[in-house]
mmCIF file of all heavy atoms in Angstrom:
data_model
loop_
_atom_site.group_PDB
_atom_site.id
_atom_site.type_symbol
_atom_site.label_atom_id
_atom_site.label_comp_id
_atom_site.label_asym_id
_atom_site.label_seq_id
_atom_site.Cartn_x
_atom_site.Cartn_y
_atom_site.Cartn_z
ATOM 1 N N ILE A 149 -11.325 -331.651 6.209
ATOM 2 C CA ILE A 149 -12.567 -332.421 6.218
ATOM 3 C C ILE A 149 -13.688 -331.661 6.899
ATOM 4 O O ILE A 149 -14.862 -331.944 6.681
ATOM 5 C CB ILE A 149 -12.351 -333.804 6.876
ATOM 6 C CG1 ILE A 149 -11.831 -333.651 8.300
ATOM 7 C CG2 ILE A 149 -11.406 -334.636 6.052
ATOM 8 C CD1 ILE A 149 -11.624 -334.974 9.017
ATOM 9 N N GLY A 150 -13.351 -330.685 7.758
ATOM 10 C CA GLY A 150 -14.381 -329.851 8.355
ATOM 11 C C GLY A 150 -14.854 -328.765 7.404
ATOM 12 O O GLY A 150 -15.988 -328.326 7.477
ATOM 13 N N GLY A 151 -13.969 -328.347 6.498
ATOM 14 C CA GLY A 151 -14.299 -327.293 5.555
ATOM 15 C C GLY A 151 -13.225 -326.231 5.535
ATOM 16 O O GLY A 151 -12.130 -326.400 6.081
ATOM 17 N N ALA A 152 -13.520 -325.122 4.884
ATOM 18 C CA ALA A 152 -12.594 -324.003 4.776
ATOM 19 C C ALA A 152 -13.340 -322.710 5.056
ATOM 20 O O ALA A 152 -14.512 -322.568 4.714
ATOM 21 C CB ALA A 152 -11.958 -323.959 3.388
ATOM 22 N N VAL A 153 -12.657 -321.780 5.695
ATOM 23 C CA VAL A 153 -13.198 -320.453 5.963
ATOM 24 C C VAL A 153 -12.281 -319.449 5.286
ATOM 25 O O VAL A 153 -11.078 -319.410 5.568
ATOM 26 C CB VAL A 153 -13.283 -320.164 7.474
ATOM 27 C CG1 VAL A 153 -13.792 -318.743 7.713
ATOM 28 C CG2 VAL A 153 -14.187 -321.174 8.167
ATOM 29 N N ASN A 154 -12.832 -318.654 4.383
ATOM 30 C CA ASN A 154 -12.059 -317.683 3.622
ATOM 31 C C ASN A 154 -12.453 -316.275 4.038
ATOM 32 O O ASN A 154 -13.622 -315.889 3.929
ATOM 33 C CB ASN A 154 -12.299 -317.872 2.115
ATOM 34 C CG ASN A 154 -11.421 -316.978 1.274
ATOM 35 O OD1 ASN A 154 -10.259 -316.752 1.584
ATOM 36 N ND2 ASN A 154 -11.967 -316.461 0.177
ATOM 37 N N ILE A 155 -11.475 -315.506 4.531
ATOM 38 C CA ILE A 155 -11.709 -314.114 4.913
ATOM 39 C C ILE A 155 -11.225 -313.229 3.776
ATOM 40 O O ILE A 155 -10.047 -313.276 3.394
ATOM 41 C CB ILE A 155 -10.982 -313.746 6.222
ATOM 42 C CG1 ILE A 155 -11.563 -314.552 7.389
ATOM 43 C CG2 ILE A 155 -11.131 -312.267 6.527
ATOM 44 C CD1 ILE A 155 -10.845 -315.820 7.693
ATOM 45 N N VAL A 156 -12.123 -312.442 3.227
ATOM 46 C CA VAL A 156 -11.820 -311.583 2.083
ATOM 47 C C VAL A 156 -11.705 -310.146 2.562
ATOM 48 O O VAL A 156 -12.636 -309.610 3.157
ATOM 49 C CB VAL A 156 -12.920 -311.688 1.003
ATOM 50 C CG1 VAL A 156 -12.601 -310.801 -0.187
ATOM 51 C CG2 VAL A 156 -13.097 -313.138 0.562
ATOM 52 N N ASN A 157 -10.534 -309.518 2.322
ATOM 53 C CA ASN A 157 -10.373 -308.116 2.694
ATOM 54 C C ASN A 157 -9.998 -307.228 1.514
ATOM 55 O O ASN A 157 -9.816 -306.016 1.684
ATOM 56 C CB ASN A 157 -9.350 -307.954 3.830
ATOM 57 C CG ASN A 157 -8.043 -308.686 3.556
ATOM 58 O OD1 ASN A 157 -7.564 -308.721 2.426
ATOM 59 N ND2 ASN A 157 -7.467 -309.279 4.594
ATOM 60 N N GLY A 158 -9.861 -307.802 0.316
ATOM 61 C CA GLY A 158 -9.683 -307.010 -0.894
ATOM 62 C C GLY A 158 -8.435 -306.168 -0.936
ATOM 63 O O GLY A 158 -8.432 -305.082 -1.526
ATOM 64 N N ARG A 159 -7.338 -306.654 -0.328
ATOM 65 C CA ARG A 159 -6.128 -305.827 -0.259
ATOM 66 C C ARG A 159 -5.434 -305.675 -1.612
ATOM 67 O O ARG A 159 -4.691 -304.722 -1.802
ATOM 68 C CB ARG A 159 -5.164 -306.420 0.763
ATOM 69 C CG ARG A 159 -5.603 -306.113 2.185
ATOM 70 C CD ARG A 159 -4.605 -306.528 3.222
ATOM 71 N NE ARG A 159 -5.058 -306.053 4.530
ATOM 72 C CZ ARG A 159 -4.939 -306.748 5.644
ATOM 73 N NH1 ARG A 159 -4.390 -307.941 5.626
ATOM 74 N NH2 ARG A 159 -5.361 -306.238 6.790
ATOM 75 N N ILE A 160 -5.637 -306.606 -2.530
ATOM 76 C CA ILE A 160 -5.111 -306.457 -3.879
ATOM 77 C C ILE A 160 -6.297 -306.161 -4.791
ATOM 78 O O ILE A 160 -7.106 -307.042 -5.074
ATOM 79 C CB ILE A 160 -4.363 -307.712 -4.337
ATOM 80 C CG1 ILE A 160 -3.171 -307.978 -3.408
ATOM 81 C CG2 ILE A 160 -3.881 -307.572 -5.776
ATOM 82 C CD1 ILE A 160 -2.355 -309.196 -3.763
ATOM 83 N N PRO A 161 -6.442 -304.916 -5.260
ATOM 84 C CA PRO A 161 -7.617 -304.556 -6.074
ATOM 85 C C PRO A 161 -7.668 -305.364 -7.366
ATOM 86 O O PRO A 161 -6.636 -305.665 -7.976
ATOM 87 C CB PRO A 161 -7.395 -303.066 -6.364
ATOM 88 C CG PRO A 161 -6.485 -302.583 -5.281
ATOM 89 C CD PRO A 161 -5.595 -303.747 -4.973
#
Side-chain angles (χ1 to χ4, degrees):
I149 58 179
V153 177
N154 185 38
I155 295 94
V156 180
N157 50 38
R159 283 187 174 141
I160 299 180

